[in-house]
Structures are given as C-alpha cells and as structure tokens.
Amino acid sequence: MKIFLSSDMEGTAGVVDWSQCRPAEAAGDYAYYRNLLQQEVNAAIEGAMAAGATAFLVNDAHSKMTNLRPDTLAGRARYLSGRHKPLYMMQGLDASFDAVFFVSYHGSMTGAPAALSHTYNPLAIGEVRLNGVTAGESGINALVALGHGVPVVLITGDDTTAAEAEPFCPGIRSAVVKSSVSRFAADSVHPATARELIHEAAREAVLDVSRSRSAPPCITLPATLTVRFRNPDLAEMATWIADVERVDAVTVRMTDEDPIRLYRRFVAVVMLTRGIAE
C-alpha cells in the first residue's frame, strides 16, 4: 500500500494567522506551528501504517515548500520539497500510488468561513469553480489524482475544507481539527486531539482502500475551470496562456478532456499572474 501525501499548513490545528505559517514574519511562531504541522503529517502516516500502508511520499506544498524536517518524518517517508514543481502541490503522484492524503488543507476564498482561506494565490484569485461548483485547492488538485486513477481518501483541516472536498471526492474521510469562526479565527481542538483524529481518519481511509471502497475523484470530463480574478489586468494576462478564454472583465475559463493537462494550464495561469499580483 503506497500513499501520496500533499501537505499544506493553514489547516493545522491552532493556525489562524499568516504570521504562524510564514517564517519571515514571525520566526518564533512559525517554528512552533511548523512543529505542529509535522506532528499532524506524522499522525496521518502512522494511522495509514496501522492499516497496512508501507510506503509514503510527502510533497511539501506550502509556501516555499520547505516546512518539514525529513529526518523526523514517520514511516521513513520520502520527502519532495522545494519550489517550481511542474505539478505543484501534486508533484510526484503517479499511477503506482494506491491513495492520496491532503493534510492541513484550507478552504476557498469564497466558500463558508475558513481560516486563512484562499485558492492558490489570495492576491490574484477571488474564486475558482470546477464544473460550476466552488472548488478549493482540494478540488483542483483532485484533477491530478483523477488523471492517474488514484482515489483521494483523506483530508484534514477545518469544517469548511472538509465540506468543499466532498463533491469531488465522495466518501472522502475527513479529520476536522478546527471550526472556523472567520477568516482569521477558529475554535481548534487540542493538538493531541487533532493528532488522534487524523490518525484514526487515516487508518479508516486506508482500510477503505483495502476493502475496495474507494474510487478516483468524481469529476465529469471534459472538465471546466472558471477563474475569477481580483482585477481585469490579471484576467487579461491569463488569456496569454493557450486555450484560456475571457468570460467577462475579471473571469476566464479553460476546458480540457485531460484532467492533468487542465491542471497544468491552471498552474501556468497562477504562476504567470503571480508576478503582477505581487
């Protein structure tokens, strides 16, 4: 049993402010919450191991993607870190994996209240819809899992994040470690409780795979991503990418029968617009 784990950071229990997950803003806070993230990642790995999983690849997918300490990863997991990955948060996934975990994920900018909500780039993107349904990073990233035929079986984070994953990954197991009050406030369980919840959800998720109760993401193809930007300049720049069409002043649309190609096009748009947004 081989698990691909994509780790973000905003969904960690207790994290409610950018300074807690950006090292340049508050070194002390970041070091503390980085350790909590590491423990949540390890809880997911250990839960999977308890159900029979034997191999793991952890893709560090937050910020500069160098947040975890490889020597303290559970399960002797491989560690994929660093920026400019062609498949970004999903780099390293292929058809040899049995399941995908999303750990410490967060909600979309336009959904229900979610701590530190955004969709890839909060300075540029206001909303993303996948086949007409509001999609957070979990839904967008599920396109890559679909392309490889691998089920997404676990997501951890707040209650909004768990709800947003369900339309694209029906039956996904979730470990809800906090309930968001606003974009910068949440009621989090104790970190020890968070780890217990994640461990158990991961264990159950792997058992689901073992019992053939899991399936690849449920996303109709050809799929369409509709992206609403924060200003018209960003939308105009997005159309410089082939097969991205303007819908209105601030919105573009892209459609493809190949989910991985669609994802790569979206990532290209994100990277291109990031320069002008920042």
Side-chain angles (χ1 to χ4, degrees):
M1 181 72 71
K2 187 177 177 184
I3 306 296
F4 175 89
L5 191 156
S6 173
S7 69
D8 211 341
M9 188 169 180
E10 291 89 351
T12 302
V15 170
V16 293
D17 191 83
W18 298 120
S19 66
Q20 296 171 322
C21 49
R22 291 177 178 171
E25 294 190 18
D29 273 357
Y30 170 73
Y32 171 74
Y33 288 100
R34 170 193 199 178
N35 182 55
L36 292 186
L37 167 65
Q38 180 104 28
Q39 292 179 45
E40 291 193 1
V41 168
N42 282 343
I45 293 173
E46 289 163 357
M49 291 173 64
T54 56
F56 303 88
L57 172 61
V58 176
N59 179 5
D60 191 329
H62 174 71
S63 187
K64 294 183 179 180
M65 306 183 180
T66 56
N67 304 282
L68 302 173
R69 297 187 181 280
D71 63 324
T72 56
L73 281 173
R76 293 182 176 247
R78 290 158 49 207
Y79 180 49
L80 201 167
S81 58
R83 295 179 289 169
H84 307 307
K85 304 167 184 170
L87 286 177
Y88 212 83
M89 300 180 79
M90 299 300 285
Q91 184 67 38
L93 179 65
D94 59 37
S96 70
F97 287 88
D98 297 288
V100 172
F101 287 1
F102 292 153
V103 174
S104 194
Y105 267 47
H106 54 80
S108 69
M109 184 77 87
T110 51
L116 301 180
S117 61
H118 63 282
T119 309
Y120 270 83
N121 183 1
L123 298 178
I125 296 175
E127 181 184 52
V128 176
R129 289 182 173 268
L130 175 53
N131 290 343
V133 179
T134 298
E137 292 174 7
S138 61
I140 299 167
N141 294 348
L143 286 166
V144 181
L146 175 62
H148 290 298
V150 182
V152 181
V153 299
L154 174 72
I155 189 163
T156 80
D158 73 353
D159 45 348
T160 297
T161 303
E164 286 185 342
E166 179 67 28
F168 308 107
C169 306
I172 187 172
R173 295 278 182 173
S174 60
V176 176
V177 300
K178 56 188 173 186
S179 177
S180 291
V181 176
S182 70
R183 194 165 182 240
F184 297 103
D187 179 353
S188 297
V189 301
H190 189 278
T193 303
R195 295 192 292 273
E196 292 167 358
L197 291 171
I198 292 169
H199 183 284
E200 180 60 17
R203 188 184 72 85
E204 291 291 341
V206 170
L207 288 177
D208 288 342
V209 176
S210 299
R211 296 164 180 162
S212 300
R213 294 177 180 172
S214 301
C218 183
I219 301 170
T220 301
L221 299 174
T224 298
L225 284 172
T226 306
V227 184
R228 177 167 55 81
F229 291 96
R230 297 186 63 174
N231 65 62
D233 287 352
L234 294 164
E236 166 60 27
M237 182 174 281
T239 64
W240 299 356
I241 302 293
D243 298 318
V244 177
E245 61 177 2
R246 198 80 168 261
V247 175
D248 59 35
V250 295
T251 309
V252 302
R253 177 172 54 216
M254 57 197 91
T255 300
D256 208 305
E257 69 276 4
D258 183 332
I260 296 177
R261 189 166 58 205
L262 179 60
Y263 177 83
R264 287 175 65 98
R265 188 175 299 128
F266 172 77
V267 169
V269 166
V270 170
M271 299 306 290
L272 181 64
T273 57
R274 178 162 285 164
I276 190 173
E278 294 178 350

